[in-house]
Amino acid sequence: MILSSPYLRARSTAAAVHAASAPSIDIVADERLREREFGILDRLTKLGIERRHPELAQSRLLMGKFYFRPPGGESWCDVILRLRSVLESVSLHYPDKRVLIVGHQVVVLCFRYLIEKLDEIAILDIDAAADVANCSVTEYRLDQRNECGATLKLMRYNFLAPLEAEGAPVTTAPDAKVAAR
């Protein structure tokens, strides 16, 4: 099963994977997999936010990146709430299937937060260490099943070998700062 963000770049990636390896598998676009909404801060750099919305820059500084919700936007916690329902849907509708999810940076990080039962500090440290590379793979495997449920184990994170094997250019520089982080 392939679940994809409805955003164009994610849908294109899902379609490329589908065409190359899984033509008999369905692709389902799921709006819960879209990137974090930045609201009125969309497309602003940190400097732009400080100049246009100094009160919001101060609020974000006081609240922290994890909890700050810009007007019309979402906090990381909001994204986590929508992703909890994605995990419930996957376990309900696809319990015996392998599921590929095509998403975005904050979505990948928030899935790690949920699946690995991380805390705020741990996930923000992972985020600070490096951006999630475009088209990178984060892989989990079923580690154990018991009467209490199943455990997923992180096998790979930010894995780029499939791109490198195909000779595709891998983004090495961070994305241009076009929105608040």
Side-chain angles (χ1 to χ4, degrees):
M1 187 70 202
I2 300 174
L3 301 177
S4 174
S5 160
Y7 291 175
L8 181 60
R9 203 164 73 171
R11 286 193 341 250
S12 296
T13 300
V17 170
H18 182 260
S21 62
S24 64
I25 295 176
D26 292 329
I27 299 177
V28 175
D30 190 322
E31 71 285 346
R32 297 172 297 177
L33 296 172
R34 71 189 186 283
E35 181 61 295
R36 177 178 164 234
E37 301 289 343
F38 294 100
I40 67 169
L41 302 182
D42 194 30
R43 298 191 156 297
L44 293 177
T45 63
K46 183 177 178 184
L47 182 60
I49 294 167
E50 290 169 354
R51 287 185 178 165
R52 288 189 186 177
H53 304 284
E55 72 289 353
L56 294 178
Q58 184 62 30
S59 287
R60 182 179 184 268
L61 188 63
L62 292 172
M63 293 182 77
K65 178 179 186 171
F66 195 75
Y67 296 101
F68 176 71
R69 178 188 298 134
E74 297 177 294
S75 69
W76 281 45
C77 294
D78 295 323
V79 175
I80 288 165
L81 285 174
R82 26 178 180 102
L83 295 181
R84 284 185 193 282
S85 70
V86 170
L87 290 175
E88 289 173 7
S89 294
V90 167
S91 67
L92 178 66
H93 297 290
Y94 315 114
D96 297 323
K97 294 189 178 187
R98 294 180 76 185
V99 178
L100 171 70
I101 296 175
V102 181
H104 309 277
Q105 175 149 332
V106 173
V107 170
V108 171
L109 291 166
C110 289
F111 268 128
R112 286 199 66 184
Y113 173 87
L114 289 167
I115 293 168
E116 298 171 44
K117 297 175 177 58
L118 301 174
D119 63 18
E120 172 190 351
I121 293 168
I123 197 60
L124 291 177
D125 284 348
I126 292 168
D127 178 50
D131 284 341
V132 175
N134 289 333
C135 294
S136 65
V137 174
T138 299
E139 178 186 5
Y140 289 91
R141 292 220 177 124
L142 195 59
D143 193 35
Q144 81 184 55
R145 241 182 226 209
N146 56 40
E147 64 278 350
C148 297
T151 303
L152 293 173
K153 181 179 179 185
L154 179 67
M155 302 305 292
R156 297 181 180 146
Y157 173 66
N158 233 358
F159 181 63
L160 295 167
L163 286 176
E164 293 165 346
E166 291 298 318
V170 176
T171 304
T172 56
D175 288 341
K177 302 289 185 188
V178 295
R181 288 197 46 144

